[in-house]
């Protein structure tokens, strides 16, 4: 059993990376999206967009470096794991 704990509120979504089996993504009501490496049992990157609660988050199955999150206010945002870009 492994416990990963870094969100300040309820976690709404957790998903495994489609290609890198050690990476996972989580989105929380605290408004953050976190990338995890479960080998290290730690968060490797926290994204804090200027938005509300994260309702869903997922990796892009066709572009393994990209992931997206949808927020309670209807905003959808994309990021690239290689450089932190969003769009």
């Amino acid at each position: 059993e492994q416990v990963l704990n870094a969100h300040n509120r309820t976690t709404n979504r957790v998903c495994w990376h489609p290609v890198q089996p050690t990476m996972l993504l989580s989105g929380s009501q605290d408004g953050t999206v976190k990338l995890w490496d479960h080998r290290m049992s730690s968060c490797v990157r926290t994204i804090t967009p200027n938005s509300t609660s994260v309702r869903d988050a997922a990796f892009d199955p066709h572009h393994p470096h990209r992931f997206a999150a949808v927020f309670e206010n209807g905003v959808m945002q994309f990021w690239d794991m290689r450089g932190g870009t969003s769009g």
Side-chain angles (χ1 to χ4, degrees), residues 22-87:
T22 62
M23 298 294 292
L24 60 115
L25 180 68
S26 64
S28 170
Q29 288 182 6
D30 65 9
T32 63
V33 178
K34 294 185 180 283
L35 286 168
W36 303 83
D37 184 334
H38 81 85
R39 293 171 301 181
M40 298 186 303
S41 298
S42 65
C43 176
V44 294
R45 183 169 168 199
T46 299
I47 296 159
T48 309
N50 294 328
S51 199
T52 57
S53 173
V54 178
R55 293 322 227 170
D56 200 1
F59 288 103
D60 183 333
H62 304 290
H63 302 280
H65 298 290
R66 288 178 33 134
F67 59 95
V70 177
F71 299 90
E72 191 170 279
N73 62 1
V75 171
M76 182 185 304
Q77 197 166 353
F78 299 87
W79 294 272
D80 188 310
M81 292 181 353
R82 297 169 295 186
T85 57
S86 67

Side-chain angles (χ1 to χ4, degrees), residues 1-12:
E1 179 178 316
Q2 188 174 23
V3 176
L4 303 174
N5 187 9
H7 286 292
N8 296 324
R9 294 188 61 201
T10 302
T11 300
N12 292 330

